[in-house]
Structures are given as structure tokens and as C-alpha cells.
Amino acid sequence: MSRLLSRLSGILLVAISLASAAQSPETQKSILITGATSGIGRNLAEALANEGHHVYAGARTGAEMAELNAINNITAVRLDVTKQDEVDAAVQFIEDGGTGLYALVNNAGIYDGGPVLDTEIGVMNLVYQVNVEGVLRTTKAFAPLVIESKGRIATTGSIAGTVSGPGFAAYSGSKHYIEAFTDSLAAELEPLGVKVSVIEPGNYQTQIRRSAVKRSMARVVGDGGVVTSGMEKQYKAMEEVELSYKKPDEVTLAYKHALLSDAPLRRYVVVPNANEQQYTIETKIRELVELNSWGPHSYDNEELLEKLKSALGQ
């Protein structure tokens, strides 16, 4: 009985959100965002809701859901992307609401890891359970609704899907997967009228780094250790770094283009400064040169430049 009442209450919230929408039914979109409680997901959810779209906002706790439900045009959905039962329940919830689903935003993600030789397999697995398996799980579950709407699927990648360095093997590896995932899914769903994009942010204000430090401290306690003053200082320093970054408004603008434009791009590199843009692009150029550096079938320099010019022309 309690589960039935909860579902009926959720459907009522959907109805209230739709009734308060500023847009007409023809222009309003229903969009699901995973990981919508903070950072990029929360910024995007509020922006879309403010413009009259109906947002299903993924959250993991009752308190988070209550906070999201208090915002006009947002309906909270309990959704841990690592739990198939919650994903299945979210699909059923949206189907019961009768709104359909125009777009899925795969935003939930975590950072963790460290130097390759020091990273435990369990830590690596956790990153992949959220950033890789979670994206695959939600996409497979919600794709039928998006296909029915001939809508959009967009995923939060990272410039770490192109660049990497010491301590980033786990996270960058998961974001490299998102690049391949996007290209494959885009080709597979294009005949069905669904557009697929990846948004690749640089360093913006989120809680992803602080959350990683918290998990590290929790592992220490779980192993019988104690949180030292040095660990607490590390968290405080990470908090100061994260709060010094720009809010992810620019990431939201890219997402809105990917979700609502008539001509969405496959990739959106969104960075807060020129240095991050240049570093990302120069890394890709270096990799292009490396790919062409070995074997009898490589292009000569002039041919390679012509290929680049041709691609720029397209």
C-alpha cells in the first residue's frame, strides 16, 4: 500500500509540474537528468525548469528528492544508476506519469583513483560502475521512450576523455569510454531519428573532487584507521579549489543546444579558459600525428594537412 501511495503521489507531482509549466504542450519537453542534485546536473535541471520544460531529476536520498520537488517543473525520481531495480522503477514511474520522455541526460558520475600502481581494483571498479555501467544501464532502460519521441540522448563526458595524466587513469578511462559510447550509439540511433551528443566540460564548480576525498576518508575508517588532520586539510583545500571555479552555466548552455537545437553537435568541448581549450585540442593534434607516424600506409605531411583542411571545411 505504501509503495502504491508513493507512486500516486509521484504522478500527482508530475501533474502539478505540468500544470505550472510556462510553455505550451507543443514546445515543452520532458527530460530526465541523472545526478541532478548538485553541480552540472542541478544547474541544468533548474535552467530547463525555469524555461518551462518538465525535468525528471535523479536523486538518491529522500532529502534530495524533497529539495528538488520544491522547484517548479521538477519532479524528483529516486535513481541510483548502479542499481537496476531503481532504474526499472524510474522507467515505470515516467511511463505511469504519461508525459513521455524526449531526452535522457546521462550526467551522474564520480571521480576516484590515483596512480595506476597504487589504485585498488575495487576503486577502479567503483568508477566504472557509475561512469560506464551506469551510463549503459540508464541508456538501455530509457532508450525506448526516447526513440518513441525521436528525441535526444546526451552524456556528460570530460576533456579527460581526450587528455590524461598522473593519477587520472581510472577517471580518464571511464570518460574515454563515453567518447566511444557516443559515436557507436549515435550511428545506431540515427536511423531511428534520435540525436546523440557528448558534453565535455573542463574545470567547473561541482562537488566531484570533494566527494572523492570523502570516499577516501571513508575507506580509511572502514579499514580501521582514523581520519587525520592532514586528510581534513586536504578536504578543505579541495573545497577551496572547487569553489574557486566558475559555476557550470556554460556547460548548461552547451547542453541546451544539444537537447533543443535543430542541429545538435556530436561533441561540445566546454572549458572556462583558453588554456584548457588549447591543451585539449593540441593533445588531439599530437595524437593524430602519432597515429600517422608508423607503417607503410601513413600520409605524408602535405597529405595530412589536406585531410585536416578537408575536415575543417566540413
Side-chain angles (χ1 to χ4, degrees):
M1 178 63 74
S2 62
R3 292 186 65 183
L4 176 60
L5 290 174
S6 176
R7 176 163 292 177
L8 290 173
S9 176
I11 294 172
L12 180 60
L13 282 170
V14 172
I16 293 172
S17 292
L18 290 175
S20 63
Q23 296 198 3
S24 68
E26 291 76 20
T27 58
Q28 184 195 57
K29 307 293 187 185
S30 287
I31 299 168
L32 170 65
I33 303 173
T34 69
T37 57
S38 64
I40 291 169
R42 180 63 173 267
N43 190 287
L44 176 61
E46 292 185 358
L48 290 172
N50 285 339
E51 293 183 6
H53 297 291
H54 178 227
V55 178
Y56 290 104
R60 294 190 298 164
T61 69
E64 291 170 339
M65 293 179 67
E67 185 176 322
L68 289 165
N69 277 328
I71 303 172
N72 286 341
N73 297 331
I74 292 182
T75 302
V77 181
R78 188 177 295 276
L79 186 54
D80 183 333
V81 299
T82 68
K83 297 179 179 179
Q84 188 65 50
D85 61 336
E86 290 194 8
V87 173
D88 293 339
V91 172
Q92 189 64 54
F93 177 80
I94 292 174
E95 289 178 342
D96 290 345
T99 61
L101 187 67
Y102 178 75
L104 167 66
V105 173
N106 288 308
N107 174 68
I110 64 170
Y111 168 80
D112 214 322
V116 172
L117 301 184
D118 297 332
T119 301
E120 298 177 1
I121 295 296
V123 172
M124 180 79 76
N125 286 343
L126 177 62
V127 173
Y128 278 70
Q129 284 167 6
V130 178
N131 295 4
V132 173
E133 294 175 19
V135 169
L136 180 60
R137 179 177 290 107
T138 54
T139 300
K140 287 168 66 69
F142 291 102
L145 289 170
V146 177
I147 291 170
E148 184 178 350
S149 301
K150 296 187 182 300
R152 309 286 169 90
I153 296 176
T155 302
T156 301
S158 171
I159 59 172
T162 293
V163 303
S164 192
F168 275 83
Y171 181 73
S172 290
S174 72
K175 294 304 182 180
H176 274 66
Y177 166 81
I178 296 302
E179 298 295 314
F181 164 86
T182 297
D183 285 333
S184 294
L185 187 67
E188 293 162 4
L189 296 188
E190 183 178 12
L192 302 177
V194 176
K195 301 293 187 181
V196 179
S197 301
V198 57
I199 315 300
E200 304 165 334
N203 289 304
Y204 285 92
Q205 189 180 125
T206 70
Q207 295 186 23
I208 193 170
R209 303 161 193 82
R210 281 172 281 175
S211 295
V213 177
K214 283 184 177 179
R215 279 192 301 276
S216 178
M217 291 191 293
R219 284 194 290 268
V220 169
V221 174
D223 291 338
V226 296
V227 174
T228 66
S229 61
M231 295 176 188
E232 292 175 346
K233 288 179 180 178
Q234 182 186 17
Y235 178 83
K236 188 64 178 176
M238 189 59 69
E239 181 179 47
E240 291 176 359
V241 168
E242 286 194 319
L243 292 176
S244 72
Y245 291 144
K246 294 172 66 175
K247 291 185 177 180
D249 297 331
E250 295 162 347
V251 184
T252 287
L253 285 176
Y255 253 119
K256 286 165 62 178
H257 190 276
L259 296 173
L260 304 172
S261 168
D262 291 335
L265 304 179
R266 176 71 58 82
R267 286 177 169 79
Y268 296 78
V269 174
V270 190
V271 292
N273 56 64
N275 288 340
E276 290 187 24
Q277 179 89 8
Q278 291 167 4
Y279 180 48
T280 304
I281 300 304
E282 287 171 5
T283 297
K284 213 64 174 177
I285 293 172
R286 174 177 54 77
E287 290 176 351
L288 174 63
V289 172
E290 290 172 349
L291 287 170
N292 195 56
S293 295
W294 181 260
H297 308 298
S298 299
Y299 296 113
D300 63 32
N301 287 352
E302 289 187 4
E303 290 172 328
L304 193 60
L305 286 172
E306 285 302 316
K307 292 292 182 182
L308 181 58
K309 289 178 182 178
S310 176
L312 287 170
Q314 296 174 16

